[in-house]
């Protein structure tokens, strides 16, 4: 759980961003028609809603309702004096989906250092036995296959650096190939140097496309790839690919980006974005402590 000073710091960052976001939206959107307004503005600001969502994903609670009623309403009311009912808070969640996504993309993500790791992890929305009965994500989620078998849901594609900082992320249906997001320029435009992935990213066309943009894709070699040569430094980097596996594990088991209790697509997106934002504020992240280059050989500690 974050301390009160950390909560205040997160709120200041979110509030400054929301003020900037609202000013831009007011500048570039058409004014509403002059009609009578039957609903007054909410008492909770967008920044406060974003902070509560981030706090939930770092609290250890498994249920947002219990966290809001038992912890926020009783122990954090001095930080949020204008709290609303839980039902109203759930309605306000969908209004911060876009600001929260832009807040993560523009404020919370780390910077590329020349060594990056890419991977995807499944986000299951229901158990396999309930696929034919599932209605919430019908027509949106798809069946996919990962190393753990078949699943129904989405894929979360992540890129991180050797410090464990997230560099970018993308959500796709479960049947999308892992290599597909790397074909979009906006997903890799900030990358340079070495990009390490698993065998699912092997592809001659993809390697050439990334190499032209200054990105060297490194993967483990398949048994039938005769004549392929890998330097010692690249081989050592493939052994350190477990760092992004640890990031996936923390996002699922600590930040709780995956569960099967969603009742709408909007709340699914807010839950996933809240988990990613909470991870960006984790004080300790999986990392490679030191790296040194000597004669084209990489030593990792």
């Amino acid at each position: 759980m974050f301390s009160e000073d950390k909560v205040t710091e997160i709120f200041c960052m979110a509030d400054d961003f929301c003020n900037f976001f609202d000013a831009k939206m007011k500048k570039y959107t058409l004014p509403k028609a002059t009609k009578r307004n039957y609903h007054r503005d909410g008492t909770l600001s967008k920044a406060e809603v974003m902070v509560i969502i981030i706090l939930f994903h770092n609290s250890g609670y498994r249920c947002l309702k219990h966290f809001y009623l038992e912890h926020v309403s009783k122990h954090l009311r001095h930080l949020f004096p204008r709290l609303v009912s839980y039902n109203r808070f759930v309605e306000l969640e969908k209004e911060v989906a876009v600001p929260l996504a832009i807040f993560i993309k523009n404020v919370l993500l780390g910077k590329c250092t020349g060594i990056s790791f890419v991977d995807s992890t499944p986000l299951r929305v229901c158990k396999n036995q309930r696929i034919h009965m599932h209605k919430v994500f019908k027509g949106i989620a798809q069946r996919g296959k990962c190393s753990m078998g078949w699943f129904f849901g989405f894929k979360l594609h992540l890129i991180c650096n050797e410090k464990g900082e997230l560099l970018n992320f993308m959500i796709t249906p479960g049947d999308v190939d892992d290599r597909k997001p790397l074909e979009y320029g906006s997903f890799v435009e900030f990358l340079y140097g070495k990009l390490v992935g698993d065998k699912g990213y092997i592809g001659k066309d993809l390697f050439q496309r990334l190499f032209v943009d200054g990105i060297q894709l490194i993967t483990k070699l398949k048994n039938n790839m005769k004549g392929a040569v890998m330097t010692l430094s690249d081989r050592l980097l493939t052994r350190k690919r477990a760092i992004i596996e640890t990031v996936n594990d923390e996002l699922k088991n600590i930040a709780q980006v995956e569960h099967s209790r969603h009742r709408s697509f909007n709340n699914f997106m807010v839950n996933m974005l809240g988990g990613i934002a909470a991870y960006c504020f984790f004080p300790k992240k999986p990392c490679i402590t030191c790296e040194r280059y000597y004669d084209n050989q990489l030593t990792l500690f």
Side-chain angles (χ1 to χ4, degrees), residues 117-166:
F117 300 86
V118 60
D119 196 15
S120 66
T121 184
L123 299 180
R124 298 171 178 85
V125 297
C126 70
K127 295 182 178 180
N128 290 342
Q129 296 88 335
R130 300 182 179 179
I131 292 178
H132 299 289
M133 298 182 293
H134 194 78
K135 297 181 180 180
V136 176
F137 297 99
K138 186 177 182 180
I140 304 176
Q142 298 293 335
R143 283 191 178 186
K145 191 176 183 180
C146 63
S147 58
M148 300 299 292
W150 291 94
F151 68 95
F152 180 74
F154 303 89
K155 279 185 178 180
L156 177 61
H157 304 265
L158 298 173
I159 299 178
C160 74
N161 57 21
E162 80 280 3
K163 301 177 183 178
E165 299 173 342
L166 294 182

Side-chain angles (χ1 to χ4, degrees), residues 37 70 80-81 112 126 130 143 171 176 180 189 201 235 238 241 244-245 249 265 270 295:
N37 186 13
E70 300 298 330
F80 305 96
C112 182
C126 70
R130 300 182 179 179
R143 283 191 178 186
I171 182 75
V176 173
K180 194 67 176 177
E189 62 182 355
Y201 292 91
R235 190 179 299 274
T238 58
R241 203 188 64 82
I244 196 167
E245 299 287 356
D249 179 75
F265 180 75
V270 172
D295 300 329

